[in-house]
């Protein structure tokens, strides 16, 4: 099991009390599958991803990534685990304005022990996989919104993560482009045997994913089909 959340509870300070963002959430995501997490704004979706990404430690419960349970790991060990095993795609891809598409990917490679030439080859192969081989030398302002999001996806795959966490990748895209991004993520997940969590408040794109769960007020429940 590549990603395994067990009884995760997360609270935030809220005035004099605490707000429960995640309430005993358990989620298992097998390799080679996409689990979509749907729910309204404020239901806890991004909090769930932040915990799964080991960026936020839960108040209670455990997170296991690639066989490693994260509680008790040092900051440095968590950073190494993230680099080795976790790819994250944010709502906005946050590309660096001065870098070309292929360079956005190459800057991720510093940690994998690959030489610059191998890193560039890998970056080009990933851009090809997301349909952007011809745009490799373009900078962000020369790309469309959908193309930028696909660069963000390719970048997240640069270190060959076993866990891929994706937060509302379609929110800035029209329906056709959003559906294409979800289809692409699903195809890449199956090809690369990643364990993918795709968070979205939009159910209309979810025909291709393997499982849908719903989060409401921090609690997870089966979500039926998209
Ligand atoms: P979603 O991604 O589904 O919109 P979030 O996980 O961002 O939901 O938020 C869940 C709840 O936690 C909301 O009530 C939100 O206001 C609250 N929340 C999120 N992040 C923080 C934070 N850093 N500090 C305090 N409250 C937060
Ligand atoms: Mg969110």
């Amino acid at each position: 099991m590549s990603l395994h959340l067990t009884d995760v509870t997360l609270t935030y300070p809220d005035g004099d009390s605490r707000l429960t963002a995640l309430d005993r959430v358990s989620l298992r995501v097998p390799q080679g599958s996409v689990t979509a997490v749907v729910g309204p704004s404020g239901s806890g979706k991004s909090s769930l991803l932040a915990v799964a990404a080991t960026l936020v430690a839960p108040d209670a419960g455990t997170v296991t990534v690639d066989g490693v349970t994260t509680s008790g790991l040092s900051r440095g060990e968590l950073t190494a685990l993230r680099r080795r095993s976790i790819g994250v795609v944010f709502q906005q891809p946050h590309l660096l304005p001065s870098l070309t598409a292929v360079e956005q990917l190459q800057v991720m490679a510093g940690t994998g022990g690959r030489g610059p030439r191998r890193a560039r080859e890998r970056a080009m192969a990933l851009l090809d996989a997301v349909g952007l081989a011809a745009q490799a030398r373009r900078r962000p302002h020369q790309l469309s919104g959908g193309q930028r999001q696909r660069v963000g996806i390719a970048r997240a795959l640069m270190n060959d993560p076993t866990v891929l966490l994706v937060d509302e990748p379609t929110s800035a895209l029209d329906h056709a482009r959003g559906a294409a991004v979800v289809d692409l993520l699903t195809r890449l997940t199956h090809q690369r045997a990643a364990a993918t969590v795709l968070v979205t408040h939009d159910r209309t794109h979810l025909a291709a994913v393997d499982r849908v769960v719903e989060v409401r007020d921090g609690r997870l429940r089966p979500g039926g089909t998209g």
Side-chain angles (χ1 to χ4, degrees):
M1 199 63 62
S2 290
L3 176 64
H4 196 163
L5 272 56
T6 308
D7 279 334
V8 165
T9 294
L10 176 71
T11 67
Y12 296 112
D14 183 42
D16 291 332
S17 66
R18 300 191 69 87
L19 181 154
T20 301
L22 297 174
D23 188 3
R24 288 163 290 161
V25 166
S26 293
L27 181 66
R28 293 158 182 248
V29 185
Q31 275 174 258
S33 70
V34 179
T35 295
V37 177
V38 299
S41 179
S43 56
K45 304 183 297 298
S46 293
S47 297
L48 190 152
L49 280 195
V51 169
T54 78
L55 294 167
V56 174
D59 300 50
T62 59
V63 179
T64 305
V65 174
D66 224 2
V68 178
T69 298
T70 59
S71 33
L73 295 188
S74 69
R75 242 170 225 275
E77 288 167 332
L78 285 175
T79 304
L81 176 68
R82 281 198 294 274
R83 284 191 180 147
R84 190 170 66 238
S85 301
I86 301 176
V88 183
V89 180
F90 297 103
Q91 208 160 343
Q92 299 292 330
H94 299 298
L95 302 179
L96 297 166
S98 62
L99 297 187
T100 64
V102 66
E103 289 165 350
Q104 311 279 344
L105 275 59
Q106 282 178 266
V107 296
M108 295 298 292
T111 53
R114 291 192 188 91
R117 215 172 90 217
R118 296 248 345 253
R120 191 173 181 90
E121 282 168 12
R122 181 168 170 74
M124 286 303 298
L126 281 167
L127 286 177
D128 191 33
V130 300
L132 290 177
Q135 285 80 23
R137 284 177 185 75
R138 293 202 187 168
R139 296 179 207 286
H141 72 274
Q142 300 167 308
L143 297 168
S144 70
Q147 289 173 334
R148 287 196 289 268
Q149 192 56 277
R150 282 188 277 153
V151 173
I153 291 166
R155 181 181 57 187
L157 294 171
M158 198 51 196
N159 290 335
D160 213 12
T162 44
V163 172
L164 183 62
L165 304 170
V166 188
D167 197 354
E168 309 232 22
T170 62
S171 60
L173 305 178
D174 66 34
H175 186 267
R177 287 184 180 83
V181 163
V182 173
D183 288 350
L184 173 67
L185 280 165
T186 304
R187 188 162 51 76
L188 291 169
T189 295
H190 293 166
Q191 274 170 10
R192 299 172 162 271
T196 297
V197 180
L198 168 66
V199 153
T200 181
H201 64 262
D202 181 358
R203 281 174 166 273
T204 63
H205 297 309
L206 298 181
V209 307
D210 300 291
R211 185 162 63 123
V212 181
V213 296
E214 185 171 350
V215 61
R216 286 271 165 155
D217 296 329
R219 301 192 101 170
L220 215 60
R221 61 187 197 196
T225 49

